[in-house]
Structures are given as structure tokens and as C-alpha cells.
Amino acid sequence: QVQLVESGGGLVQAGGSLRLSCAASGRTFSSNTMGWFRQAPGKEREFVAAISWSSSNTYYADSVKGRFTISGDNAKNTVFLHMNSLKPEDTADYYCAAREALWSSRYDWYGEYEYWGQGTQVTVSS
């Protein structure tokens, strides 16, 4: 069984920064893609960022481009999300995800990922 564990969430004022971390536990596996999604109360799960290990390409939602940066360590199945210039609309539960299957161009679709973390809450006050 593979389990992803997120950490680093919390309460921050608008304009501040946070760094989220995600690490895998359980059986050994090799991810092809890892990413971050978020979900605010009453809203659908939303793509935030993803990284493809094979190509080293990174992808971002338009709403966070220029403010968030995704990075990680493929060998350790770990990924980070550096969040700068946070806005109240960034408030949500943030989930780490991993895809073990081959690369998919639908990296922004939650159904393409096999493994998920429990989530970490980020609250940005105005």
C-alpha cells in the first residue's frame, strides 16, 4: 500500500509564504508524475501544479502561475510546493498526488493519479 503524507499547511496573512511538503510511505514505487490539487469548501477539486520526472517539465494552473513553484526528488518520491504572495482565494485543503503509470497529457485531471495524501489545510487571511 502506498500512502502520501502532506505537511506544512497553516494560517498565514495575505502576501505571505508557505512551503508544503509531500513524502511517500509504504511499499516502494516509482512515480512518473507528481502533483498538487486543492479543494475549497463547496467547490470542486482544482489542479494546482505538477512535475514530470522524465522530462523535468513543470505545469501550473493559471491562477497560481508566477506565485507557486513545484519541485522535488524523484528518487525519494517527494515533492514540494513553494507558495508566495498568497491570496485569500488560495484558502483550501491541499492534496498531494502521484501517478505511477506512463505520462499522461491530462496531468490536470485528478482521475489520472493513483495515489493521494490526506490533505493539509492552508488558510490565508485578508
Side-chain angles (χ1 to χ4, degrees):
Q1 185 68 47
V2 174
Q3 179 66 53
L4 304 181
V5 180
E6 305 97 336
S7 63
L11 175 64
V12 64
Q13 293 184 352
S17 300
L18 285 174
R19 187 182 76 167
L20 305 184
S21 300
C22 173
S25 63
R27 75 169 179 87
T28 300
F29 81 109
S30 180
S31 65
N32 185 284
T33 311
M34 296 190 72
W36 290 93
F37 290 75
R38 66 187 182 186
Q39 187 168 18
K43 296 184 178 180
E44 296 182 351
R45 184 163 26 182
E46 176 187 27
F47 168 76
V48 177
I51 182 168
S52 170
W53 301 122
S54 59
S55 67
S56 298
N57 287 339
T58 57
Y59 307 89
Y60 299 92
D62 289 341
S63 60
V64 306
K65 189 176 300 182
R67 299 188 297 120
F68 292 9
T69 302
I70 187 171
S71 63
D73 187 335
N74 182 28
K76 298 181 179 179
N77 286 317
T78 60
V79 67
F80 306 97
L81 185 67
H82 299 261
M83 305 185 294
N84 299 312
S85 301
L86 284 163
K87 305 175 181 179
E89 48 263 47
D90 294 318
T91 296
D93 290 328
Y94 283 71
Y95 297 89
C96 175
R99 175 179 169 86
E100 191 171 15
L102 294 176
W103 162 255
S104 171
S105 61
R106 296 297 310 279
Y107 54 83
D108 59 344
W109 171 242
Y110 68 86
E112 295 293 275
Y113 296 82
E114 297 100 338
Y115 309 115
W116 292 86
Q118 295 297 106
T120 185
Q121 186 174 6
V122 173
T123 302
V124 184
S125 62
S126 60

